[in-house]
Amino acid sequence: MAASPLNVQPSFHARSNSLPSRQHPVASQIDENLNRLRASQSASTSSSIGDKLNCLQDLYDYVDMFLQLPLTQQDLAQEQQRKLVEQLLDESLVLLDVCGAAKDALQQTKECTQELQSILRRRRGVEGLANEVRKYLTSRKAAKKAICKTIKNLKHMENKLTSSSFSKDGETGAVISTLKQVEAVIISVLESLLSFISGPEAESKTSRWSLVSKLMHQKRVMCEEELKTNEIANAEAALRSFVKSGNMKNAENVQNELQNSEMCVQDLEEGLERFYRRLIKARVTVLNIINC
């Protein structure tokens, strides 16, 4: 039997490095984008996360092409693969919910940031501003708690995805494998985004039981470095410092940090929204394939 043009990697693992060389050109482009995203997983600045979101959009250009291939549609429509495809659809729904939670968190952060900037411009005095800052910090605390829970759910989904088993023989196994690898990378990017929105401490809370004493100093240094490159966390730190000092001389610095945070949030919002739409489009495509 002739080799299939969709003869991509015959076995799935979330951390696999690449797909074999004999594959459809579209699958090759998916592989290239997956490798690019995997290579950037350690970065956690706003610009690097924005780049990841843009790369996810590029990836989904090719995922869309991949789903339009006749062989892909034929394989996904097979009755014996129905359970696996429905699992993919269920997992895509979870990812959409996570995107929605991230969008809500960014929107809330932006609105509160804009309100605080407005209050600063009106110069309502230390006490008036301090009260508003406390309200913002309280809302941030609640948001962080929700984000921490979402990250835990994502990690659970990631672990389940890594350990999942299914038939990987033939073309259909290759199609499912490719889509699973895409899903694994999405989870990683969303984890990075949520951790960034919450601040450096979010990830440490989700893994507190795995900490050992010899790594405590190293982790503290890493969190300090993340804080330096996290505009949202920088703004929060400036607000806490202002409330503690009660000195209006710090208002200009607070205003600058809030402006940086707002611009950062705006960029992340736009990138996330574009990816969110691509994810919806891919889900609809798969639904159409199995319902034909």
Side-chain angles (χ1 to χ4, degrees):
M1 181 180 294
S4 166
L6 288 176
N7 187 24
V8 291
Q9 186 168 336
S11 61
F12 168 74
H13 190 284
R15 302 300 182 195
S16 62
N17 290 326
S18 64
L19 303 172
S21 57
R22 297 184 66 185
Q23 56 185 330
H24 192 282
V26 173
S28 178
Q29 290 297 328
I30 290 176
D31 183 32
E32 182 179 329
N33 279 272
L34 286 172
N35 287 334
R36 188 181 308 138
L37 281 160
R38 290 179 187 127
S40 66
Q41 284 179 357
S42 61
S44 58
T45 65
S46 59
S47 60
S48 68
I49 294 173
D51 288 342
K52 292 177 190 179
L53 290 171
N54 289 334
C55 192
L56 280 181
Q57 294 171 52
D58 293 339
L59 172 62
Y60 263 77
D61 285 339
Y62 296 106
V63 169
D64 183 57
M65 296 179 196
F66 186 68
L67 293 174
Q68 300 301 325
L69 294 175
L71 281 177
T72 299
Q73 297 191 2
Q74 176 185 334
D75 294 337
L76 292 178
Q78 291 182 21
E79 186 61 32
Q80 62 266 36
Q81 299 299 327
R82 185 80 179 202
K83 184 177 180 180
L84 285 173
V85 176
E86 288 180 348
Q87 183 183 56
L88 280 170
L89 288 169
D90 289 342
E91 289 164 350
S92 72
L93 193 59
V94 173
L95 294 177
L96 286 171
D97 287 342
V98 171
C99 287
K103 288 169 62 179
D104 289 343
L106 287 169
Q107 178 67 21
Q108 181 188 31
T109 300
K110 184 173 72 172
E111 290 175 353
C112 290
T113 298
Q114 291 172 337
E115 178 63 21
L116 287 172
Q117 290 184 81
S118 177
I119 292 171
L120 273 170
R121 286 192 292 268
R122 295 198 299 268
R123 299 285 182 176
R124 285 174 49 178
V126 174
E127 190 59 34
L129 179 58
N131 288 336
E132 294 300 324
V133 169
R134 292 187 188 99
K135 291 179 184 178
Y136 170 74
L137 294 176
T138 299
S139 70
R140 281 282 293 161
K141 184 176 180 179
K144 288 181 180 184
K145 185 176 180 180
I147 288 173
C148 188
K149 182 178 179 180
T150 303
I151 292 175
K152 286 181 179 179
N153 292 338
L154 271 178
K155 288 186 179 297
H156 176 73
M157 182 178 175
E158 183 177 35
N159 292 335
K160 184 178 178 181
L161 180 65
T162 304
S163 61
S164 63
S165 61
F166 54 89
S167 175
K168 307 173 186 67
D169 298 329
E171 298 166 4
T172 304
V175 170
I176 297 292
S177 173
T178 298
L179 296 177
K180 288 281 189 178
Q181 291 181 71
V182 169
E183 187 178 277
V185 167
I186 293 171
I187 291 173
S188 178
V189 174
L190 291 178
E191 284 179 0
S192 296
L193 173 62
L194 289 168
S195 294
F196 182 88
I197 296 170
S198 181
E201 70 273 21
E203 187 173 353
S204 64
K205 286 183 179 179
T206 64
S207 57
R208 67 179 64 178
W209 300 113
S210 65
L211 294 178
V212 290
S213 58
K214 67 179 181 179
L215 294 177
M216 288 181 67
H217 174 70
Q218 179 183 359
K219 196 169 188 68
R220 183 168 60 252
V221 171
M222 289 173 64
C223 286
E224 289 171 355
E225 289 301 315
E226 287 182 31
L227 182 62
K228 293 176 184 178
T229 55
N230 187 323
E231 293 86 344
I232 298 174
N234 286 345
E236 184 175 339
L239 290 168
R240 290 186 184 277
S241 177
F242 172 79
V243 170
K244 185 176 180 179
S245 68
N247 190 343
M248 283 301 292
K249 291 182 180 179
N250 296 329
E252 183 176 351
N253 177 58
V254 172
Q255 183 78 281
N256 290 336
E257 295 294 354
L258 288 172
Q259 288 175 353
N260 291 337
S261 177
E262 183 184 354
M263 289 188 291
C264 161
V265 168
Q266 181 68 34
D267 290 342
L268 293 176
E269 266 191 319
E270 292 174 356
L272 181 58
E273 179 62 30
R274 288 192 294 268
F275 167 65
Y276 182 76
R277 293 176 182 175
R278 304 306 297 276
L279 193 56
I280 290 175
K281 182 180 179 182
R283 176 179 165 79
V284 170
T285 299
V286 175
L287 282 169
N288 289 336
I289 290 172
I290 65 174
N291 291 328
C292 285

